[in-house]
Amino acid sequence: MHIRRSPEEIAANRARYEEHQKKGLEFAPKALPGKSAKPAPVIAAADIVHQEKLPGGWYWWTRVKANEVLRITLDEGFSTVSVIAWNAADPSERMNLPDTVKVQWTTGLGKGRVIFSDMGKVMFSIVEDSCGAHDVLMGGSTASSNARKYVGANGATLRNTRENFVLVATKAGLDKRDIPAALALFAPVRVDADGKFEWKPELVSEGDYVDLRAEMDMIVGFSNCPHPLDPNPVYAPNPVTITRIKAVEPAADDLSRTATVEAIRGFENNAFAAL
């Protein structure tokens, strides 16, 4: 159905577009910092809302409030942790990696970058990151990828990210159709000059961590299963620690909120939706 818009609405939309265009042309992006220092800073006991030890192969989900931080730590050796998220107030809004890449003009997520929803709002800010080696392109494992990868193993007996996230969605009152593309943390995937995916294990090490600050109330799911490109022939993901840290209001000059004009627009959308 074709919707006719009034001249006033068209003019208002054009003015808003031209304002954003002007901001983009005038804005000089801030230089993003390097990797966060290790070890991860100690969290005061009073600031810990909850801490979860996620065993290899398993999943966990939680609800977080805006400005709370989720720290994911490789304190027992290497693992890849996949993450998905929905807006708690309206789960039809979900994490969107294609938009995250397209809007920020990069597949390289690290400290200072943000993760967008499919409605142009910011869901997470990456406030600390010690490795910068995360995969936004390939997604997680499935029963069939496990069966192909682990010689002599029945893929159905090895837990995988797809089935873990189906369980997360079901327990959160959602459907498998609601599952977005997953962000794989600590997945050192790179693309070579010929466009082929490469696995660069030297980019991740024990003790690496990522701090994700929630920019809205959310439902967040985690899966601790090997990445499809991980060359280890043995299915042996290590436990990871996920810590939910109490909310603190970000400073006015917060890096993630001010580094790029794209992030600024995303946070403007967040503020508009809250009105």
Side-chain angles (χ1 to χ4, degrees):
M1 182 176 67
H2 180 68
I3 299 175
R4 293 182 62 86
R5 302 191 184 280
S6 69
E8 294 78 13
E9 185 178 5
I10 293 172
N13 288 339
R14 177 174 291 280
R16 187 166 184 267
Y17 167 79
E18 290 175 349
E19 179 186 356
H20 283 315
Q21 184 184 51
K22 183 173 183 291
K23 286 181 180 179
L25 292 173
E26 295 176 349
F27 189 89
K30 290 184 180 179
L32 295 180
K35 300 173 184 177
S36 301
K38 294 199 298 185
V42 175
I43 306 167
D47 293 338
I48 297 177
V49 178
H50 178 79
Q51 192 167 76
E52 189 77 15
K53 184 73 72 173
L54 184 58
W58 286 84
Y59 69 93
W60 180 62
W61 71 283
T62 188
R63 293 179 181 269
V64 297
K65 296 185 180 298
N67 292 330
E68 289 183 342
V69 170
L70 291 165
R71 174 174 292 175
I72 305 95
T73 311
L74 300 184
D75 50 8
E76 297 189 37
F78 174 75
S79 272
T80 291
V81 182
S82 296
V83 184
I84 54 175
W86 299 269
N87 182 338
D90 178 9
S92 67
E93 180 178 12
R94 64 201 73 173
M95 188 169 74
N96 189 300
L97 294 183
D99 283 356
T100 295
V101 170
K102 179 173 60 178
V103 170
Q104 297 179 105
W105 299 93
T106 182
T107 60
L109 297 186
K111 183 175 180 178
R113 293 292 182 188
V114 297
I115 300 169
F116 284 89
S117 77
D118 55 4
M119 295 186 183
K121 293 188 284 184
V122 179
M123 301 193 83
F124 289 110
S125 292
I126 305 175
V127 293
E128 299 292 347
D129 180 7
S130 67
C131 71
H134 315 296
D135 175 31
V136 298
L137 299 174
M138 292 199 65
S141 60
T142 64
S144 59
S145 71
N146 279 352
R148 290 192 302 270
K149 181 176 174 182
Y150 300 105
V151 177
N154 179 353
T157 66
L158 298 175
R159 300 188 70 92
N160 65 80
T161 291
R162 174 62 183 174
E163 291 175 352
N164 278 350
F165 282 153
V166 170
L167 293 171
V168 167
T170 301
K171 292 185 177 182
L174 302 168
D175 189 85
K176 63 183 180 181
R177 292 172 297 180
D178 298 313
I179 299 171
L183 167 64
L185 300 175
F186 315 114
V189 176
R190 293 293 184 264
V191 181
D192 68 15
D194 296 322
K196 296 179 181 178
F197 292 118
E198 293 183 311
W199 187 259
K200 298 282 192 178
E202 67 275 10
L203 299 179
V204 183
S205 61
E206 184 172 349
D208 275 327
Y209 65 99
V210 176
D211 285 2
L212 301 176
R213 184 178 64 219
E215 300 297 352
M216 62 177 71
D217 293 355
M218 286 186 288
I219 302 166
V220 185
F222 299 90
S223 174
N224 182 11
C225 292
H227 189 276
L229 280 187
D230 186 340
N232 188 349
V234 179
Y235 184 98
N238 289 299
V240 299
T241 302
I242 304 173
T243 306
R244 183 177 163 197
I245 305 169
K246 76 176 185 180
V248 175
E249 187 70 25
D253 61 349
D254 178 79
L255 175 65
S256 293
R257 296 189 173 202
T258 59
T260 67
V261 69
E262 294 84 6
I264 291 172
R265 289 176 186 170
F267 281 107
E268 287 176 351
N269 292 337
N270 285 40
F272 180 78
L275 295 178

